[in-house]
Amino acid sequence: MTTLTGGCQCGAVRFRCEELGRASICHCRMCQKAFGGHYGPLVTAIGLVWTRGEPKRFRSSNKIRRGFCPDCGTPLTYEPDGFPHVEVSLGAFDRPAEIPPAIQVGVESRMPWFDRLASLPGRAPEQQAKVEAFFAEIVSYQHPDHDTPEWPAEQREAE
Protein backbone atom coordinates (compact mmCIF):
# COMPACT_ATOMS: atom_id res chain seq x y z
CA MET A 1 0.00 0.00 0.00
CA THR A 2 1.38 3.39 -1.00
CA THR A 3 0.71 6.43 1.15
CA LEU A 4 -0.19 9.46 -0.93
CA THR A 5 0.63 12.86 0.54
CA GLY A 6 0.00 16.46 -0.33
CA GLY A 7 -0.89 19.88 0.94
CA CYS A 8 -1.40 23.52 0.20
CA GLN A 9 1.05 25.95 -1.34
CA CYS A 10 2.27 27.43 1.96
CA GLY A 11 2.44 24.14 3.92
CA ALA A 12 -0.01 25.14 6.67
CA VAL A 13 -2.31 22.26 5.62
CA ARG A 14 -0.96 18.78 4.83
CA PHE A 15 -2.74 15.46 4.29
CA ARG A 16 -2.29 11.80 3.49
CA CYS A 17 -4.51 9.02 2.20
CA GLU A 18 -4.01 5.34 1.42
CA GLU A 19 -6.19 4.96 -1.66
CA LEU A 20 -7.69 7.00 -4.48
CA GLY A 21 -10.95 6.69 -6.32
CA ARG A 22 -11.71 8.03 -9.78
CA ALA A 23 -9.88 11.19 -10.82
CA SER A 24 -11.85 13.73 -12.83
CA ILE A 25 -11.80 17.21 -14.17
CA CYS A 26 -14.99 19.14 -13.59
CA HIS A 27 -15.92 21.96 -15.93
CA CYS A 28 -18.94 23.22 -13.92
CA ARG A 29 -19.09 26.93 -13.21
CA MET A 30 -18.74 26.37 -9.45
CA CYS A 31 -15.46 24.48 -9.94
CA GLN A 32 -14.24 27.13 -12.35
CA LYS A 33 -14.76 29.81 -9.72
CA ALA A 34 -13.49 27.68 -6.80
CA PHE A 35 -10.23 26.88 -8.59
CA GLY A 36 -9.88 30.21 -10.37
CA GLY A 37 -9.40 28.32 -13.62
CA HIS A 38 -11.28 26.66 -16.42
CA TYR A 39 -11.90 23.39 -14.56
CA GLY A 40 -11.46 21.72 -11.20
CA PRO A 41 -9.19 18.64 -11.12
CA LEU A 42 -10.35 16.31 -8.33
CA VAL A 43 -9.88 12.77 -7.04
CA THR A 44 -11.67 10.82 -4.32
CA ALA A 45 -9.29 10.44 -1.35
CA ILE A 46 -10.14 7.29 0.61
CA GLY A 47 -8.91 7.32 4.19
CA LEU A 48 -8.05 11.03 4.11
CA VAL A 49 -6.23 12.28 7.22
CA TRP A 50 -5.16 15.87 7.86
CA THR A 51 -1.58 15.69 9.14
CA ARG A 52 -0.96 19.43 9.61
CA GLY A 53 -3.69 21.99 10.02
CA GLU A 54 -7.09 21.62 8.41
CA PRO A 55 -8.91 23.42 5.61
CA LYS A 56 -11.36 26.20 6.21
CA ARG A 57 -14.65 25.41 4.49
CA PHE A 58 -17.03 27.42 2.32
CA ARG A 59 -20.52 26.14 1.52
CA SER A 60 -20.70 26.76 -2.23
CA SER A 61 -24.20 25.31 -2.56
CA ASN A 62 -26.92 23.68 -0.49
CA LYS A 63 -25.15 20.31 -0.97
CA ILE A 64 -21.44 21.07 -1.30
CA ARG A 65 -18.69 22.40 0.96
CA ARG A 66 -15.26 23.31 -0.42
CA GLY A 67 -12.10 23.32 1.64
CA PHE A 68 -9.17 25.66 1.18
CA CYS A 69 -6.07 26.67 3.12
CA PRO A 70 -6.97 29.45 5.55
CA ASP A 71 -3.48 30.96 5.14
CA CYS A 72 -2.68 30.85 1.41
CA GLY A 73 -6.09 30.09 -0.12
CA THR A 74 -5.07 26.94 -2.04
CA PRO A 75 -8.23 25.06 -3.14
CA LEU A 76 -8.10 21.64 -1.47
CA THR A 77 -11.44 19.81 -1.24
CA TYR A 78 -14.87 19.20 -2.70
CA GLU A 79 -17.14 17.75 0.00
CA PRO A 80 -20.62 16.65 -1.10
CA ASP A 81 -23.12 16.15 1.75
CA GLY A 82 -23.92 12.50 2.43
CA PHE A 83 -20.92 11.05 0.59
CA PRO A 84 -18.47 8.88 2.55
CA HIS A 85 -15.31 10.34 1.02
CA VAL A 86 -13.89 13.77 0.26
CA GLU A 87 -12.53 14.73 -3.15
CA VAL A 88 -9.14 16.45 -3.11
CA SER A 89 -7.55 18.73 -5.69
CA LEU A 90 -5.17 16.80 -7.94
CA GLY A 91 -2.66 19.65 -7.88
CA ALA A 92 -2.47 19.51 -4.07
CA PHE A 93 -0.85 16.05 -4.16
CA ASP A 94 2.94 15.86 -3.93
CA ARG A 95 3.09 13.73 -7.10
CA PRO A 96 0.12 14.93 -9.20
CA ALA A 97 1.52 13.52 -12.46
CA GLU A 98 0.83 10.04 -11.09
CA ILE A 99 -2.93 10.72 -10.87
CA PRO A 100 -4.28 11.13 -14.40
CA PRO A 101 -7.93 12.14 -14.79
CA ALA A 102 -10.20 9.34 -16.02
CA ILE A 103 -13.32 11.37 -16.84
CA GLN A 104 -14.60 14.89 -17.55
CA VAL A 105 -17.78 16.02 -15.79
CA GLY A 106 -19.80 19.22 -15.91
CA VAL A 107 -19.09 19.39 -19.64
CA GLU A 108 -22.10 21.64 -20.23
CA SER A 109 -19.92 24.49 -18.87
CA ARG A 110 -16.68 23.47 -20.59
CA MET A 111 -14.99 26.34 -22.41
CA PRO A 112 -15.65 26.02 -26.16
CA TRP A 113 -11.90 26.13 -26.94
CA PHE A 114 -10.83 23.59 -24.29
CA ASP A 115 -10.20 20.74 -26.74
CA ARG A 116 -7.74 22.91 -28.70
CA LEU A 117 -5.41 23.72 -25.78
CA ALA A 118 -2.87 20.99 -26.58
CA SER A 119 -2.41 22.39 -30.08
CA LEU A 120 -1.45 25.90 -28.93
CA PRO A 121 2.14 26.85 -29.76
CA GLY A 122 4.81 27.30 -27.11
CA ARG A 123 7.11 30.28 -26.80
CA ALA A 124 9.73 30.91 -29.47
CA PRO A 125 13.26 29.89 -28.33
CA GLU A 126 14.42 33.51 -27.90
CA GLN A 127 11.36 34.30 -25.76
CA GLN A 128 11.88 31.13 -23.73
CA ALA A 129 15.49 32.12 -22.96
CA LYS A 130 14.30 35.46 -21.51
CA VAL A 131 11.69 33.73 -19.37
CA GLU A 132 14.18 31.16 -18.10
CA ALA A 133 16.55 33.93 -17.01
CA PHE A 134 13.69 35.57 -15.05
CA PHE A 135 12.69 32.30 -13.36
CA ALA A 136 16.32 31.46 -12.51
CA GLU A 137 16.31 34.44 -10.11
CA ILE A 138 13.14 33.39 -8.24
CA VAL A 139 13.43 32.08 -4.69
CA SER A 140 10.36 29.95 -3.95
CA TYR A 141 8.63 30.19 -0.57
CA GLN A 142 6.29 27.37 -1.57
CA HIS A 143 6.21 24.25 0.58
CA PRO A 144 8.22 21.40 -0.99
CA ASP A 145 6.45 18.38 -2.51
CA HIS A 146 7.03 16.15 0.51
CA ASP A 147 6.25 16.11 4.22
CA THR A 148 8.42 18.21 6.53
CA PRO A 149 8.63 18.11 10.34
CA GLU A 150 7.55 21.74 10.45
CA TRP A 151 6.95 24.59 8.06
CA PRO A 152 7.77 27.32 7.46
CA ALA A 153 11.25 27.47 8.85
CA GLU A 154 10.72 31.21 9.19
CA GLN A 155 7.65 33.36 8.71
CA ARG A 156 7.47 35.05 5.32
CA GLU A 157 5.03 37.81 4.62
CA ALA A 158 3.05 38.08 1.42
CA GLU A 159 3.74 41.20 -0.55
Side-chain angles (χ1 to χ4, degrees), residues 11-12 15 20 34 38 50 55 67 73-74 78 82 97-98 111 117-118 133 137 139 141 149 154:
F15 63 86
L20 298 177
H38 299 298
W50 300 107
T74 299
Y78 171 88
E98 297 175 9
M111 295 291 136
L117 290 176
E137 296 176 357
V139 176
Y141 298 149
E154 59 186 65

Side-chain angles (χ1 to χ4, degrees), residues 12-66:
V13 178
R14 294 285 298 163
F15 63 86
R16 74 169 183 264
C17 66
E18 302 299 328
E19 186 179 346
L20 298 177
R22 179 190 72 185
S24 65
I25 56 173
C26 180
H27 296 277
C28 82
R29 189 65 184 125
M30 270 200 250
C31 279
Q32 290 172 359
K33 290 189 90 160
F35 282 87
H38 299 298
Y39 58 87
L42 296 159
V43 65
T44 305
I46 300 165
L48 179 67
V49 175
W50 300 107
T51 58
R52 182 184 303 140
E54 190 166 321
K56 184 173 181 179
R57 271 97 177 174
F58 168 70
R59 184 161 286 283
S60 61
S61 75
N62 64 323
K63 297 184 180 257
I64 308 296
R65 291 185 324 156
R66 293 175 185 270

Side-chain angles (χ1 to χ4, degrees), residues 64-139:
I64 308 296
R65 291 185 324 156
R66 293 175 185 270
F68 58 94
C69 174
D71 291 346
C72 69
T74 299
L76 293 168
T77 67
Y78 171 88
E79 305 175 23
D81 293 347
F83 282 72
H85 304 291
V86 170
E87 293 199 24
V88 175
S89 168
L90 291 177
F93 281 87
D94 291 335
R95 296 184 318 273
E98 297 175 9
I99 313 168
I103 190 170
Q104 295 182 62
V105 298
V107 295
E108 66 283 352
S109 298
R110 182 173 50 202
M111 295 291 136
W113 39 258
F114 181 79
D115 292 335
R116 298 188 308 269
L117 290 176
S119 67
L120 292 176
R123 288 189 173 105
E126 62 277 1
Q127 292 173 324
Q128 187 61 31
K130 290 177 185 176
V131 171
E132 287 172 6
F134 171 79
F135 282 116
E137 296 176 357
I138 291 178
V139 176

